[in-house]
Amino acid sequence: NAGVTQTPKFQVLKTGQSMTLQCAQDMNHEYMSWYRQDPGMGLRLIHYSVGAGITDQGEVPNGYNVSRSTTEDFPLRLLSAAPSQTSVYFCASRTGTGRLSFFGQGTRLTVV
Amino acid sequence: GNSVTQMEGPVTLSEEAFLTINCTYTATGYPSLFWYVQYPGEGLQLLLKATKADDKGSNKGFEATYRKETTSFHLEKGSVQVSDSAVYFCALVAQGAQKLVFGQGTRLTINP
């Protein structure tokens, strides 16, 4: 009964470092997405995927890359971290035709 | 474009007070509407939803009615508890669309 699993829960990076935030779901959902949560701005969509091999940009894609090689996994990559990427990141998934999204517990990232 | 506007927070109430958090939206057609809740240190959980006009979503004593004429989905609870302290997000998925669009969130604090 895992649902959507994100790792790590917390991370501190130095400016310029790279890292990958992991997201996995075990519900066979076609649609997966990444959001960032910043104070007073709600959740903003970074990238999303409607199925394996298909990804597209959301509202704030700059500085982030994604890939979707399997239905289960949707990693988010920061190639060169910047302080502006300090945020809480959430991964979500749902069925292709459904409207209800399921969220992971979040990753709190600090870039110093 | 599609958007969601929530009342600004933070909101602070005493236990057993009546709660209203306003949410209005802009979207074409008939979107599906959601309230998500984020308890301290946790991810987002679905609180309630409504998928067509005049539907009332309810859960844990919270209610919200889909009002097409006023494009609103206000969240209400008759008697709040300290355990209701959280951040509440109103969100929508537009008809025929894939993306979940969030409001900015409202932080609610309930004092004993």
Side-chain angles (χ1 to χ4, degrees), chain A residues 31 48 50 94 96-99, chain B residues 2 27-32 51 92-100:
Chain A
Y31 187 93
Y48 66 98
V50 299
R94 61 174 171 82
T97 55
R99 298 304 182 102
Chain B
N2 303 313
T28 54
Y30 289 83
S32 294
T51 57
L92 69 82
V93 176
Q95 188 175 10
Q98 294 279 356
K99 301 174 188 177
L100 187 59

Side-chain angles (χ1 to χ4, degrees), chain A residues 31 35 37-45 48 50 57-58 88 90 94-96 99-106, chain B residues 30-32 34 36 38 41-46 49 51 87 89 93-105:
Chain A
Y31 187 93
Y35 295 86
Q37 181 187 17
D38 301 295
M41 303 187 77
L43 277 74
R44 293 181 292 169
L45 182 64
Y48 66 98
V50 299
Q57 296 181 351
V88 181
F90 287 100
R94 61 174 171 82
T95 64
R99 298 304 182 102
L100 178 58
S101 289
F102 295 85
F103 286 82
Q105 295 285 77
Chain B
Y30 289 83
S32 294
F34 305 88
Y36 281 87
Q38 183 182 26
E42 298 186 12
L44 275 75
Q45 305 173 24
L46 177 71
K49 65 181 173 71
T51 57
V87 180
F89 293 93
V93 176
Q95 188 175 10
Q98 294 279 356
K99 301 174 188 177
L100 187 59
V101 176
F102 284 90
Q104 69 268 41

Side-chain angles (χ1 to χ4, degrees), chain A:
Chain A
N1 197 22
V4 180
T5 303
Q6 287 184 238
T7 55
K9 285 189 168 55
F10 301 95
Q11 183 71 49
V12 178
L13 289 179
K14 294 182 179 178
T15 297
Q17 285 186 315
S18 63
M19 80 160 294
T20 299
L21 281 64
Q22 302 291 345
C23 175
Q25 53 90 9
D26 60 359
M27 297 174 281
N28 202 31
H29 285 170
E30 297 94 332
Y31 187 93
M32 296 184 74
S33 51
W34 277 102
Y35 295 86
R36 58 177 289 171
Q37 181 187 17
D38 301 295
M41 303 187 77
L43 277 74
R44 293 181 292 169
L45 182 64
I46 304 171
H47 285 284
Y48 66 98
S49 169
V50 299
I54 306 169
T55 64
D56 205 347
Q57 296 181 351
E59 189 183 353
V60 287
N62 292 341
Y64 308 95
N65 281 351
V66 292
S67 60
R68 183 96 179 269
S69 56
T70 67
T71 299
E72 293 79 18
D73 300 301
F74 190 45
L76 179 72
R77 296 183 185 85
L78 285 72
L79 298 180
S80 178
S84 60
Q85 293 178 304
T86 293
S87 188
V88 181
Y89 292 84
F90 287 100
C91 179
S93 76
R94 61 174 171 82
T95 64
T97 55
R99 298 304 182 102
L100 178 58
S101 289
F102 295 85
F103 286 82
Q105 295 285 77
T107 296
R108 183 174 295 275
L109 175 68
T110 302
V111 182
V112 297

